[in-house]
Each structure stands twice: as C-alpha cells, then as structure tokens.
Amino acid sequence: MLDALIWDVDGTLAETERDGHRLAFNQAFTHLGLSWQWDPPRYGELLRVAGGRERLLADMDRHPDAPTAPAEREALARQLHRVKNECYAEIVRQGGIGPRPGVWRLLDEATAAGVRLAIATTTSRSNVDALLGGWFGPAWRERFDVVVCGEDVLRKKPDPEVYERALSALALGPSQALAVEDSAPGLRAATAAGLPVLLTPSVYFPDVGALAAGNPTPVRMTEHLDAAPAVRLVDLQAWFAPLGDVPR
C-alpha cells in the first residue's frame, strides 16, 4: 500500500534551478561587487556539486579575485549564500517560480486520498519556506507530515541520509513510500534508501532516465506529471501495489 509520497524540491516540484537559483546567485555576485556570473552551461556543471555553498567553494578556483585562504573562502561563500537566498525569496515573492505541470494536481489528489506528503531535500530550509510559503501561504507546513532539509543532515544527496530521516520521521519503511525525483544525485539517494522512485527529469537533468536501467529499486519514468498519459495518484497506487509485496 502506498502510504506516502516523498518529494524532492529543486527541479521536481518546480524548475527552481532554471527559474530561481541561478538568477539569485548572479544577483548575489552583483550585490557583493563581484564580476562573477554563472551562465546556464556553467551552472549545469556546478549542479554536480550538491549544495549552494559547496558550489560556490568549488567555483572559486576559476576566479583570481577569490580569497586564497580557506577560512576567507568559507566566509565569502557563506555571505554569498545568505544574500543569494534573500534574492531567491524575492524572486519567489514576485511570482517567478510556479510548480511544474501536474505537481499541484498530484499533491491535491494525495491529500484527498489520505496519502501522506513529505519533503526530502538538501536545499536550505529558507529556500523551501520561500517557495512553498509563496504557493500555499504561511501555513504551508500543514500540507506536509514531514519536512527534511539540508540543515537536518550531515551528508547531502546522493547520500541516502535525507530519505532515511524522512522515512524515520514518517515511521514508515521503504516499501510503504514512493520518492519523487528529477536528478541523478536524487535518484541515487532515494534508491540507496531502498525507495522506489517516480523520476521526472528536469531541465538540467534531461538524461537522468538512462540511470534507471538496472536500478536496485523500481523506477517509473515520466517526462513530466502531465505527460500523456498524465500521472494520476490512482495510476501510481496501481503501479506501486505489487512493489509493496516484494521484500527490498
């Protein structure tokens, strides 16, 4: 029986990387007087690094005006990340990031059917609050039984910790829940936790479906949740039903 849908956020609920995070990083660079800018291809490369602060640190070797001392680099990365999150929240407030097609319908169907909703992301809590608070209002947490964010884990995706923590908080085993993901790190994290996955590739991870072959747990692919035939909760429940009977 499908008891819960556990959602990733960036690229899954919304195309936040394309429509929000990259733009916000570039605004932060400008606010701090830096000439750095991340174009779409470079940002796509940096998404191989999990975490915004970590991406900033990984990129600093390319910039001769970046600090050389590790402590100074860390301080600059933290400052940039704080300003970037403020810029991201403003983009959301201005209505710049909407849900991916079919997301809202599937959330509503799950709620109506008593299927619990959870968030398992390694983005920051402030970013999640900005996005979902912008969509659902200040009481957005009431829609989700569990929310696990980057501050709640020691290791980011592709490590399974965020999914393991979500399952523990839900008091469910991996045979009772389905992860919804868009990326290679997310797919690896979910399957390492033993979860079956609904995989909906995003703009920055269009070829992630190639990893589904030989996956240790079942994966259902869809271009997006409104792709013909549209993904409905009843379809997921029918697909999931025999999976819950198979030990994993």
Side-chain angles (χ1 to χ4, degrees):
M1 178 179 176
L2 178 58
D3 291 304
L5 293 178
I6 307 179
W7 292 79
D8 172 54
V9 174
D10 292 325
T12 303
L13 286 175
E15 289 285 4
T16 53
E17 303 292 5
R18 178 192 66 190
D19 299 335
H21 290 302
R22 187 184 71 85
L23 304 180
F25 274 116
N26 286 339
Q27 291 174 13
F29 297 146
T30 299
H31 285 326
L32 269 67
L34 297 168
S35 62
W36 310 352
Q37 290 287 284
W38 288 346
D39 61 19
R42 177 57 182 161
Y43 191 66
E45 293 171 357
L46 287 168
L47 285 177
R48 299 171 188 165
V49 180
R53 184 180 58 81
E54 291 83 356
R55 286 178 206 129
L56 288 163
L57 290 168
D59 192 57
M60 285 189 188
D61 284 340
R62 293 166 50 98
H63 301 287
D65 54 341
T68 55
E72 293 177 3
R73 287 195 174 200
E74 179 67 31
L76 177 59
R78 290 188 180 279
Q79 183 182 17
L80 280 166
H81 198 241
R82 177 183 56 78
V83 175
K84 172 261 172 185
N85 286 346
E86 294 170 357
C87 294
Y88 177 83
E90 183 59 29
I91 291 170
V92 174
R93 278 194 293 270
Q94 293 176 2
I97 306 175
R100 290 185 65 184
V103 163
W104 211 301
R105 184 194 63 238
L106 189 53
L107 290 173
D108 285 344
E109 289 180 349
T111 299
V115 174
R116 300 163 72 189
L117 296 172
I119 296 291
T121 178
T122 46
T123 195
S124 68
R125 189 171 299 279
S126 65
N127 288 337
V128 176
D129 188 60
L131 181 68
L132 298 184
W135 290 359
F136 300 118
W140 71 266
R141 280 293 304 265
E142 295 177 5
R143 297 209 59 167
F144 296 88
D145 287 77
V146 168
V147 178
V148 184
C149 300
E151 295 90 339
D152 302 318
V153 296
L154 297 175
R155 299 171 298 279
K156 297 191 174 184
K157 297 177 184 177
D159 190 278
E161 182 184 2
V162 67
Y163 279 109
E164 292 168 347
R165 286 184 177 270
L167 286 169
S168 177
L170 288 165
L172 295 177
S175 63
Q176 296 170 285
L178 175 64
V180 189
E181 273 286 355
D182 75 297
S183 70
L187 174 63
R188 293 190 180 103
T191 56
L195 285 158
V197 181
L198 175 63
L199 187 61
T200 174
S202 60
V203 166
Y204 276 108
F205 294 97
D207 302 322
V208 68
L211 298 176
N215 209 58
T217 62
V219 176
R220 175 168 171 173
M221 281 286 304
T222 181
E223 180 181 346
H224 57 74
L225 299 182
D226 268 355
V231 176
R232 309 300 295 263
L233 180 67
V234 65
D235 301 320
L236 291 180
Q237 289 171 320
W239 176 72
F240 184 88
L243 305 181
D245 297 330
V246 178
R248 291 195 296 275

